[in-house]
PDB file of all heavy atoms in Angstrom:
ATOM      1  N   ARG S  64       6.870  12.604  -6.007  1.00  0.00           N
ATOM      2  CA  ARG S  64       5.585  12.344  -5.332  1.00  0.00           C
ATOM      3  C   ARG S  64       5.275  10.850  -5.354  1.00  0.00           C
ATOM      4  O   ARG S  64       4.737  10.314  -4.381  1.00  0.00           O
ATOM      5  CB  ARG S  64       4.462  13.142  -5.996  1.00  0.00           C
ATOM      6  CG  ARG S  64       3.123  12.961  -5.343  1.00  0.00           C
ATOM      7  CD  ARG S  64       3.087  13.533  -3.929  1.00  0.00           C
ATOM      8  NE  ARG S  64       1.837  13.156  -3.277  1.00  0.00           N
ATOM      9  CZ  ARG S  64       1.744  12.795  -2.010  1.00  0.00           C
ATOM     10  NH1 ARG S  64       2.793  12.815  -1.229  1.00  0.00           N
ATOM     11  NH2 ARG S  64       0.582  12.458  -1.502  1.00  0.00           N
ATOM     12  N   GLY S  67       7.240   9.390  -2.644  1.00  0.00           N
ATOM     13  CA  GLY S  67       6.664   9.772  -1.355  1.00  0.00           C
ATOM     14  C   GLY S  67       5.422   8.973  -1.010  1.00  0.00           C
ATOM     15  O   GLY S  67       5.258   8.506   0.122  1.00  0.00           O
ATOM     16  N   VAL S  68       4.536   8.813  -1.988  1.00  0.00           N
ATOM     17  CA  VAL S  68       3.307   8.044  -1.759  1.00  0.00           C
ATOM     18  C   VAL S  68       3.656   6.590  -1.440  1.00  0.00           C
ATOM     19  O   VAL S  68       3.089   5.990  -0.522  1.00  0.00           O
ATOM     20  CB  VAL S  68       2.357   8.128  -2.973  1.00  0.00           C
ATOM     21  CG1 VAL S  68       1.239   7.092  -2.886  1.00  0.00           C
ATOM     22  CG2 VAL S  68       1.768   9.525  -3.087  1.00  0.00           C
ATOM     23  N   ALA S  69       4.610   6.021  -2.178  1.00  0.00           N
ATOM     24  CA  ALA S  69       5.007   4.630  -1.928  1.00  0.00           C
ATOM     25  C   ALA S  69       5.597   4.482  -0.529  1.00  0.00           C
ATOM     26  O   ALA S  69       5.299   3.521   0.182  1.00  0.00           O
ATOM     27  CB  ALA S  69       6.006   4.160  -2.985  1.00  0.00           C
ATOM     28  N   ALA S  70       6.411   5.444  -0.110  1.00  0.00           N
ATOM     29  CA  ALA S  70       7.009   5.390   1.225  1.00  0.00           C
ATOM     30  C   ALA S  70       5.946   5.517   2.314  1.00  0.00           C
ATOM     31  O   ALA S  70       5.977   4.779   3.308  1.00  0.00           O
ATOM     32  CB  ALA S  70       8.057   6.490   1.378  1.00  0.00           C
ATOM     33  N   GLU S  71       4.988   6.422   2.127  1.00  0.00           N
ATOM     34  CA  GLU S  71       3.892   6.582   3.101  1.00  0.00           C
ATOM     35  C   GLU S  71       3.066   5.309   3.185  1.00  0.00           C
ATOM     36  O   GLU S  71       2.699   4.858   4.272  1.00  0.00           O
ATOM     37  CB  GLU S  71       2.992   7.747   2.693  1.00  0.00           C
ATOM     38  CG  GLU S  71       3.604   9.114   2.846  1.00  0.00           C
ATOM     39  CD  GLU S  71       2.733  10.201   2.228  1.00  0.00           C
ATOM     40  OE1 GLU S  71       1.506   9.990   2.068  1.00  0.00           O
ATOM     41  OE2 GLU S  71       3.284  11.261   1.896  1.00  0.00           O
ATOM     42  N   TRP S  72       2.746   4.733   2.030  1.00  0.00           N
ATOM     43  CA  TRP S  72       1.943   3.509   1.982  1.00  0.00           C
ATOM     44  C   TRP S  72       2.664   2.371   2.695  1.00  0.00           C
ATOM     45  O   TRP S  72       2.073   1.655   3.514  1.00  0.00           O
ATOM     46  CB  TRP S  72       1.654   3.150   0.528  1.00  0.00           C
ATOM     47  CG  TRP S  72       0.956   1.846   0.365  1.00  0.00           C
ATOM     48  CD1 TRP S  72      -0.383   1.605   0.452  1.00  0.00           C
ATOM     49  CD2 TRP S  72       1.571   0.578   0.097  1.00  0.00           C
ATOM     50  NE1 TRP S  72      -0.634   0.261   0.249  1.00  0.00           N
ATOM     51  CE2 TRP S  72       0.548  -0.382   0.029  1.00  0.00           C
ATOM     52  CE3 TRP S  72       2.888   0.182  -0.099  1.00  0.00           C
ATOM     53  CZ2 TRP S  72       0.800  -1.717  -0.219  1.00  0.00           C
ATOM     54  CZ3 TRP S  72       3.142  -1.164  -0.342  1.00  0.00           C
ATOM     55  CH2 TRP S  72       2.094  -2.099  -0.397  1.00  0.00           C
ATOM     56  N   LEU S  73       3.965   2.216   2.426  1.00  0.00           N
ATOM     57  CA  LEU S  73       4.721   1.140   3.035  1.00  0.00           C
ATOM     58  C   LEU S  73       4.851   1.335   4.546  1.00  0.00           C
ATOM     59  O   LEU S  73       4.715   0.380   5.319  1.00  0.00           O
ATOM     60  CB  LEU S  73       6.107   1.035   2.393  1.00  0.00           C
ATOM     61  CG  LEU S  73       6.943  -0.174   2.770  1.00  0.00           C
ATOM     62  CD1 LEU S  73       6.186  -1.472   2.508  1.00  0.00           C
ATOM     63  CD2 LEU S  73       8.247  -0.155   2.002  1.00  0.00           C
ATOM     64  N   SER S  74       5.056   2.567   4.985  1.00  0.00           N
ATOM     65  CA  SER S  74       5.128   2.850   6.425  1.00  0.00           C
ATOM     66  C   SER S  74       3.805   2.527   7.106  1.00  0.00           C
ATOM     67  O   SER S  74       3.783   1.955   8.196  1.00  0.00           O
ATOM     68  CB  SER S  74       5.482   4.319   6.666  1.00  0.00           C
ATOM     69  OG  SER S  74       6.793   4.574   6.251  1.00  0.00           O
ATOM     70  N   GLY S  75       2.697   2.895   6.468  1.00  0.00           N
ATOM     71  CA  GLY S  75       1.376   2.590   7.021  1.00  0.00           C
ATOM     72  C   GLY S  75       1.127   1.096   7.093  1.00  0.00           C
ATOM     73  O   GLY S  75       0.579   0.591   8.076  1.00  0.00           O
TER      74      GLY S  75
END
Side-chain angles (χ1 to χ4, degrees):
R64 182 66 188 140
V68 167
E71 290 171 22
W72 174 84
L73 189 55
S74 292

